[in-house]
Amino acid sequence: MLSDSLIKDILFFLISSNRSGSVVKPTTQKSFGFFFKDFFYYLIVSQYFHPENLPINFIAKLLKEHGQEINVLTGKPNYPKGKYFAGHSFFSKILGEEFSIKVFRMPITPRGSRFRTLGLAFNYLSFAFIASIIAPFILRKEKYDVIFVYANSP
């Protein structure tokens, strides 16, 4: 099992690295200490989540392995090919589970491959629009301690 200090360092790197890969350090690393207090109830908001292969999957697994309660609000998987993954469609079920984590999948338009720029724009806008309408209803009884937003660039 990884030590807490190593986990904090990994999370610090993932959270604070910019597009060029260099790390932007805050004034104190203690500012990230809230990630591993006794117990928190997290909501991770990310347009992409497993089976799409991105660092947010690793972060969610680490938090879960350290006894934290995690829910994820995400879109239907379609990255990077622009088509829904097998078993997913616009009308497939919203609630699922990955790595013992409750996952709420919002119906979004896939990125597409024919009109790449237009498809990508509709993909991003559909997640923002649909999640802002549906999420308040499906998450209304939940009380989260931390809302962690993972938003990678187009």
Side-chain angles (χ1 to χ4, degrees):
M1 183 137 215
L2 300 172
S3 71
D4 282 349
S5 63
L6 178 58
I7 304 284
K8 287 179 187 177
D9 289 342
I10 291 168
L11 278 174
F12 175 76
F13 173 78
L14 289 171
I15 293 166
S16 63
S17 63
N18 61 27
R19 289 180 90 179
S20 67
S22 62
V23 175
V24 180
K25 293 191 178 198
T27 54
T28 173
Q29 212 165 343
K30 288 183 180 180
S31 60
F32 290 96
F34 70 89
F35 276 102
F36 290 101
K37 290 192 177 177
D38 294 333
F39 177 81
F40 278 124
Y41 193 20
Y42 289 83
L43 173 64
I44 296 175
V45 179
S46 172
Q47 184 164 349
Y48 307 111
F49 192 69
H50 188 270
E52 298 156 318
N53 190 17
L54 293 160
I56 193 63
N57 302 335
F58 179 66
I59 293 170
K61 282 192 246 182
L62 284 175
L63 290 168
K64 187 66 176 179
E65 287 171 6
H66 280 76
Q68 305 302 305
E69 186 63 32
I70 312 287
N71 285 355
V72 175
L73 178 68
T74 189
K76 304 288 174 94
N78 67 90
Y79 175 81
K81 294 186 178 180
K83 297 177 183 174
Y84 293 119
F85 280 52
H88 297 278
S89 71
F90 188 85
F91 296 106
S92 61
K93 65 181 180 174
I94 289 178
L95 182 59
E97 190 172 297
E98 304 277 345
F99 318 116
S100 301
I101 296 170
K102 195 186 295 185
V103 179
F104 299 93
R105 294 197 181 274
M106 300 293 99
I108 60 173
T109 59
R111 297 167 68 95
S113 55
R114 273 186 85 190
F115 305 103
R116 189 105 180 117
T117 304
L118 191 58
L120 188 60
F122 278 126
N123 178 256
Y124 280 106
L125 290 172
S126 68
F127 177 70
F129 179 73
I130 292 172
S132 65
I133 291 172
I134 295 176
F137 293 103
I138 62 175
L139 302 174
R140 70 184 175 277
K141 294 182 181 176
E142 307 292 340
K143 301 290 183 211
Y144 297 105
D145 298 311
V146 177
I147 298 176
F148 183 81
V149 178
Y150 178 81
N152 53 334
S153 65

